[in-house]
Amino acid sequence: MTPRPAAPSRRTLLRTLAALPASAALLGEAPGLLGGALAAAPPNGSATRYTIVPFRNSDDGTVDVFQSDDATDFRLLRSSAYTPPAGRIRDASVIRHTDGRYYAAYTTRTWQDPSTTIGFARSPDRVNWTFLYDHTVPVPGLSRAWAPEWFVDSDGGVHVIVSCSTTNDEWIFTPYLMRATDSALTAWSTPVPLTGIGANHIDTFIVRIGSTYHAFPKNETTKYIEYATATNLTGPYTIRRTGDWAGWGSYREGPALVQLDNGAWRIFFDGYGDGTYYYSDSRDTFTTWTPPAALPGISGTARHFSVVKETVTGGPSLARNTTRSFRSANYPTRHWQRQSSLLNLPVVDGSSGSAEKQAATFTVVPGLADAGGCSFRDMTGAYLRHWDFRARFDANDGTRTFAEDATFLLRAGTASGSVRFESYNHPGRYLRHYAYQLRVERSDGTDLFRQDSSFVPVTAWA
């Protein structure tokens, strides 16, 4: 919710500025209840789809729609997809409801102005949106209601977590919980505070794993995203981690979490202090996190969003337990080939010798770490894996690390019939050729990267 730049504290900025005059068959995954059912590679012929609906850094009067198949490389689906009839649209949180439609909840005013309502809109297809209503949040003495976030619990109950401040201190926010009292999401319970998190916390995002609720609120004094847990949705929460506990830095806000296909949890957050949108992953239930990385393509332009994850039909397909060769999508005379123990991309054609053709032939098998993914075995029985992010072949040593290094998830390629291979244990990194060598490199969101990481399965050379 914070404007850029933000060198002084947000509260200082806001107090100062407030004194100035106003001049597909789908298997959806709901925010909050994110379990292991979809924490696996999508079936052959299906794809994972992540959707975000951010407002722009340059314009909080409209939102764009982006989608991705890997939660890293988001591409524009529709610009200016929704503009409310009045007010603004900030911090849009989106859910796919049981009626098959998508619902957005959002902040209705710009950050300078009092805001006692949150807005709701609906879409049948994520790109065409219709205004539903503005809901007045019934908190006594309310000054501002910001950053509503959907949460769906295990009983199917649909909730919104909203950050509220009152007129006696309009910049001190407390998280409140409202529950939908009808299936149409038009009636809401009286908001109740989430106990234990306390005042001066904003942008609270909650996920549930088993019987534990995990909350990620931003502390408005320190500007760090904190971590709390509870056994009941309304609390009491115990704040477990404070300060720079995850290595994300300060002046961070708008946390949103989603579970990736390999079971890891990814958090997205707005680095409003430096103009960057970040992501970071955890594979040990939020104990440790990867260093934050800038989200390619939309970092610096998109602001505060949540993520809808779905499994959709029409994804890439690759038969298992068959032999194939793999041709570069953008260098069609070049193919994968084992050279010594490394995977390179030389020219292979009908005039190539039998040894060269054998070295360019691989058996595709179910993924060693996830049968929904794939692994590749060469003619010696060695498996393709990454080591120091270089693609190479080694004998399977039976360890979990090897299995994950040797497993790749299928993503759609840039050319017809082409496939991209995402690293199982380093989401967002792909097999990509550079100087005709194959490496596992982080996506930079460019068309060239997508082309360099696209390969066409073809009839085996040997």
Side-chain angles (χ1 to χ4, degrees):
M1 285 293 304
T2 308
R4 300 190 185 116
S9 73
R10 177 159 80 174
R11 192 182 305 165
T12 300
L13 279 172
L14 293 177
R15 288 186 190 279
T16 301
L17 290 168
L20 299 175
S23 307
L26 299 177
L27 296 175
E29 188 170 282
L33 187 62
L34 298 170
L38 290 183
N44 218 22
S46 297
T48 301
R49 185 175 74 192
Y50 302 88
T51 303
I52 61 174
V53 186
F55 75 96
R56 302 170 187 167
N57 187 44
S58 60
D59 183 2
D60 64 0
T62 190
V63 289
D64 303 320
V65 179
F66 295 83
Q67 71 177 24
S68 170
D69 60 1
D70 61 6
T72 303
D73 184 8
F74 284 91
R75 308 191 73 181
L76 183 65
L77 187 61
R78 184 169 183 179
S79 178
S80 299
Y82 173 65
T83 300
R88 318 307 290 168
I89 177 167
R90 301 170 66 91
D91 319 322
S93 179
V94 178
I95 185 178
R96 184 171 183 265
H97 192 35
T98 53
D99 63 4
R101 293 180 287 191
Y102 300 85
Y103 289 78
Y106 56 90
T107 305
T108 59
R109 296 291 183 271
T110 193
W111 59 272
Q112 299 101 322
D113 299 331
S115 175
T116 59
T117 63
I118 55 176
F120 291 87
R122 184 173 65 198
S123 171
D125 55 10
R126 302 174 299 139
V127 295
N128 297 289
W129 291 86
T130 301
F131 172 73
L132 291 179
Y133 61 94
D134 286 341
H135 175 74
T136 299
V137 180
V139 170
L142 181 65
S143 173
R144 284 168 172 78
W146 281 3
E149 295 287 357
W150 294 104
F151 177 85
V152 180
D153 213 339
S154 59
D155 62 357
V158 179
H159 305 77
V160 165
I161 304 156
V162 58
S163 299
C164 296
S165 70
T166 56
T167 53
N168 62 336
D169 200 332
E170 58 185 337
W171 309 122
I172 300 295
F173 288 86
T174 299
Y176 282 77
L177 184 77
M178 308 186 310
R179 178 173 177 138
T181 57
D182 68 346
S183 62
L185 307 183
T186 59
W188 297 90
S189 66
T190 300
V192 295
L194 298 180
T195 60
I197 294 177
N200 212 32
H201 287 86
I202 196 170
D203 298 349
T204 301
F205 193 97
I206 295 177
V207 297
R208 178 176 177 175
I209 303 175
S211 60
T212 302
Y213 297 89
H214 303 259
F216 294 81
K218 177 201 174 187
N219 184 310
E220 270 286 48
T221 299
T222 66
K223 313 302 180 187
Y224 289 114
I225 296 171
E226 298 182 339
Y227 170 61
T229 62
T231 56
N232 292 292
L233 178 56
T234 56
Y237 285 84
T238 300
I239 295 181
R240 306 286 184 182
R241 299 287 186 270
T242 61
D244 196 17
W245 64 279
W248 299 326
S250 61
Y251 290 89
R252 308 291 189 247
E253 66 183 13
L257 284 85
V258 68
Q259 194 169 27
L260 303 178
D261 288 343
N262 71 345
W265 288 89
R266 173 161 293 181
I267 187 171
F268 300 89
F269 52 86
D270 191 346
Y272 64 95
D274 57 26
T276 305
Y277 222 103
Y278 292 99
Y279 67 93
S280 176
D281 298 344
S282 175
R283 298 192 65 186
D284 54 12
T285 317
F286 315 135
T287 300
T288 60
W289 295 83
T290 59
L295 198 59
I298 64 173
S299 182
T301 59
R303 300 294 307 275
H304 197 153
F305 56 76
S306 64
V307 185
V308 177
K309 180 184 179 184
E310 301 168 290
T311 300
V312 299
T313 59
S317 181
L318 182 60
R320 308 312 198 262
N321 301 310
T322 58
T323 56
R324 290 288 184 270
S325 293
F326 293 89
R327 173 173 57 81
S328 168
N330 57 349
Y331 288 86
T333 63
R334 293 181 175 270
H335 296 72
W336 289 8
Q337 186 184 80
R338 174 174 174 161
Q339 295 181 341
S340 297
S341 61
L342 302 177
L343 182 64
N344 293 323
L345 196 72
V347 173
V348 181
D349 57 27
S351 65
S352 300
S354 59
E356 292 178 291
K357 291 179 178 178
Q358 283 187 335
T361 298
F362 307 94
T363 301
V364 183
V365 299
L368 298 182
D370 183 333
C374 56
S375 295
F376 305 94
R377 196 170 58 230
D378 72 4
M379 66 286 190
T380 71
Y383 284 86
L384 174 66
R385 56 90 62 93
H386 63 82
W387 177 269
D388 198 22
F389 299 120
R390 183 67 162 95
R392 57 174 292 125
F393 291 88
D394 287 307
N396 184 359
D397 64 9
T399 64
R400 180 66 184 177
T401 297
F402 186 96
E404 294 188 354
D405 284 353
T407 298
F408 299 87
L409 303 183
L410 275 64
R411 308 300 187 196
T414 57
S416 177
S418 67
V419 181
R420 302 172 69 206
F421 298 102
E422 184 185 18
S423 168
Y424 179 83
N425 54 355
H426 290 274
R429 286 183 175 267
Y430 285 82
L431 277 173
R432 184 259 181 108
H433 68 79
Y434 184 81
Y436 307 128
Q437 298 179 349
L438 274 292
R439 302 185 61 85
V440 174
E441 293 192 344
R442 189 189 300 274
S443 173
D444 63 9
T446 63
D447 287 338
L448 178 60
F449 185 96
R450 298 182 193 107
Q451 294 164 9
D452 287 349
S453 57
S454 295
F455 302 93
V456 181
V458 296
T459 301
W461 279 108

